[in-house]
Amino acid sequence: MNVHKALILDETAKFHQDVQDDRPFVPGTTEIWPAGAVLDAADRRAIVEAALEMRIAAGPSSRRFESRFARTMGHRKAHLTNSGSSANLLAMTAFTSHTLEDRRLLPGDEVITVAAGFPTTVNPIIQNGLVPVFVDVELGTYNTTADRVAQAIGPKTRAIMIAHALGNPFEVAEIAQLAEEHDLFLVEDNCDAVGSLYDGQLTGTFGDMTTVSFYPAHHLTMGEGGCVLTSNLALARIVESLRDWGRDCWCEPGETNKCLKRFKYQMGTLPEGYDHKYIFSHVGYNLKATDIQAALGLTQLDKIDEFCAARRRNWRRLREGLDGVPHLLLPEATPRSDPSWFGFALTVQPDAPFSRAALVDFLEDRKIGTRRLFAGNLTRHPAYIGTDHRVVGELTNSDIVTEQTFWIGVYPALTEEMTDYMVASVKEFVEARS
């Protein structure tokens, strides 16, 4: 290693120690965030090293991360993207590819999803001219059920796209079976659930494709970033093309003639021998991430087991501490699942002598950060009013989530002292009003 580079990296590690906030936790003064990145000296060093190498586009770190993450998640292929939202867009758009012939999704085809969630699970459906079919969720797990999905399948249904809510798996084995029986595509939005298990199997391994986000709130972070994973090589090829401008060539940037017939293709109505690097087989995007992001992802990936264990531990401490508190519906893991939790959901019961807003205000005043269960009932938002969609059954629970549900944090930076303070604060508020 270059002596100057080694010196800079050594100083980077020292700088990381210098800027650490070692102040003790002070209840009511120290902010307790609901989510956030956990970054150490190795992460800072990785970012600086990638910057020193001027790896400003996708490169060797990106390819290394894709390979390692695919193995970690039990898939053959992973394609790094600039966000989890882009990953969802690529996954759904891939199903519209002309290369799928009779199986391709066409405008007007229906995709089953849930009403209570984050919009980026639904937006790609609409953006591709498809019709979202909304179903309700269960209170407590905040996931839909296989029965609800089965009832929503109609003659135009072609796919299912559902997120594992707050890291808690939905009934993915049963829904995957429904998809197989009805010849439907299934996308698992696994952005909140890396490391979660259903029937002992990793979530994200049941469907045709799965997506992950590396936003700072999630299990691993690259600052921004996401990933599409699949073991279906045909779908992987489509995702790669769509991500990389829609081009047909699979050479990495900077590579030339990897297929050894760069000037021997004839596609479309182009002349024979047109440069394959500039033949486009899809109407695509440029949704790649950078090597600086991937370098951070590689060091974060080293800590994934530790991060997931901390999330489970913090969630369990909150659950045990709040057990029996009246007027609150506490979260429950979906049967046969072992969630790698994203957050700890609380729903204020309709007959409670206090409102959700009052409890949230109390916690926020104590510097305990809260978040809503994302959008609540998406069909009530201005963006979706007037869009073409179908609702199957009542969205009663989605409306309750909209009015009465919020969540607090379980992410790895939270200490036992912090989780105990959250428990004590909730109990104090409820007891004073019961």
Side-chain angles (χ1 to χ4, degrees):
M1 183 185 294
N2 178 283
V3 64
H4 296 295
K5 176 180 173 182
L7 178 62
I8 291 170
L9 294 179
D10 183 55
E11 289 299 318
T12 297
K14 294 177 182 177
F15 173 78
H16 182 85
Q17 297 304 318
D18 289 344
V19 298
Q20 292 307 290
D21 186 354
D22 295 325
R23 291 174 295 180
F25 171 66
V26 179
T29 299
T30 305
E31 289 195 73
I32 302 176
W33 289 95
V38 178
L39 302 165
D40 62 16
D43 297 317
R44 193 182 295 269
R45 176 189 169 106
I47 293 172
V48 172
E49 183 172 15
L52 290 173
E53 297 290 340
M54 297 293 283
R55 299 204 301 267
I56 57 175
S61 290
S62 299
R63 292 190 290 274
R64 250 191 337 269
F65 180 86
E66 287 173 336
S67 178
R68 278 190 58 193
F69 195 58
R71 290 197 304 273
T72 299
M73 296 300 295
H75 279 287
R76 297 178 68 183
K77 288 289 185 178
H79 286 98
L80 193 56
T81 68
N82 60 355
S83 72
S85 303
S86 294
N88 279 348
L89 176 61
L90 288 170
M92 184 52 60
T93 305
F95 297 140
T96 70
S97 171
H98 61 91
T99 64
L100 296 177
E101 298 178 344
D102 291 344
R103 289 208 73 199
R104 72 181 295 196
L105 271 59
L106 298 171
D109 287 340
E110 294 183 344
V111 182
I112 297 170
T113 190
V114 299
F118 200 73
T120 55
T121 310
V122 175
N123 292 350
I125 302 170
I126 298 169
Q127 288 159 341
N128 277 289
L130 307 169
V131 178
V133 177
F134 292 107
V135 295
D136 207 2
V137 298
E138 292 285 289
L139 296 178
T141 67
Y142 303 98
N143 283 302
T144 195
T145 61
D147 286 344
R148 285 189 174 93
V149 171
Q151 291 168 16
I153 296 173
K156 293 184 178 181
T157 306
R158 300 295 308 284
I160 303 166
M161 187 170 186
I162 302 175
H164 298 286
L166 291 178
N168 195 14
F170 59 83
E171 294 175 347
V172 63
E174 293 86 344
I175 290 174
Q177 181 63 35
L178 281 173
E180 182 177 355
E181 290 171 358
H182 294 272
D183 194 26
L184 310 177
F185 290 114
L186 172 60
V187 180
E188 291 178 72
D189 182 334
N190 206 43
C191 290
D192 291 350
V194 171
S196 292
L197 302 171
Y198 189 81
D199 280 345
Q201 181 177 333
L202 281 171
T203 56
T205 60
F206 292 83
D208 296 284
M209 284 193 279
T210 188
T211 59
V212 173
S213 171
F214 302 122
Y215 189 72
H218 290 103
H219 290 58
L220 303 174
T221 189
M222 296 183 185
E224 299 286 352
C227 201
V228 184
L229 300 105
T230 184
S231 291
N232 183 315
L233 297 184
L235 290 175
R237 180 73 189 92
I238 296 167
V239 168
E240 182 177 36
S241 175
L242 288 167
R243 183 196 65 176
D244 298 1
W245 304 283
R247 66 179 186 165
D248 196 73
C249 178
W250 55 84
C251 287
E252 295 285 344
E255 288 182 342
T256 300
N257 205 20
K258 191 173 182 179
C259 63
L260 302 180
K261 54 178 185 176
R262 175 180 168 190
F263 299 106
K264 297 179 181 178
Y265 285 90
Q266 197 290 309
M267 301 180 71
T269 60
L270 292 168
E272 179 77 28
Y274 199 86
D275 189 345
H276 191 225
K277 289 177 72 70
Y278 293 98
I279 295 177
F280 298 89
S281 52
H282 291 93
V283 178
Y285 310 90
N286 178 8
L287 300 177
K288 297 188 299 299
T290 70
D291 243 36
I292 293 176
Q293 291 172 275
L296 173 58
L298 284 165
T299 55
Q300 284 275 294
L301 190 52
D302 291 336
K303 299 179 276 280
I304 184 60
D305 290 341
E306 173 189 340
F307 288 163
C308 291
R311 288 176 175 275
R312 288 181 167 98
R313 184 169 58 248
N314 289 338
W315 187 92
R316 187 166 53 248
R317 194 173 186 89
L318 289 172
R319 187 63 176 76
E320 292 171 354
L322 292 172
D323 190 42
V325 174
H327 310 303
L328 295 177
L329 176 65
L330 301 185
E332 297 285 353
T334 302
R336 310 199 325 267
S337 76
D338 180 12
S340 176
W341 295 96
F342 182 76
F344 188 92
L346 291 165
T347 296
V348 176
Q349 301 280 25
D351 60 351
F354 53 85
S355 67
R356 175 205 50 78
L359 175 53
V360 166
D361 287 346
F362 181 83
L363 296 176
E364 293 281 351
D365 285 344
R366 291 195 162 205
K367 306 298 183 183
I368 298 170
T370 66
R371 294 290 185 269
R372 303 303 292 267
L373 188 45
F374 308 127
N377 184 347
L378 278 163
T379 68
R380 297 173 61 178
H381 287 255
Y384 305 96
I385 294 173
T387 61
D388 191 11
H389 68 271
R390 187 161 65 89
V391 175
V392 176
E394 300 296 324
L395 299 180
T396 304
N397 291 338
S398 297
D399 285 332
I400 291 172
V401 165
T402 306
E403 305 290 345
Q404 302 292 100
T405 302
F406 69 98
W407 58 271
I408 54 179
V410 299
Y411 79 109
L414 300 182
T415 64
E416 290 185 357
E417 193 175 9
M418 291 174 176
T419 54
D420 289 347
Y421 177 65
M422 289 192 280
V423 168
S425 297
V426 172
K427 284 183 171 180
E428 179 182 332
F429 175 88
V430 174
E431 288 170 1
R433 289 156 181 82
S434 296

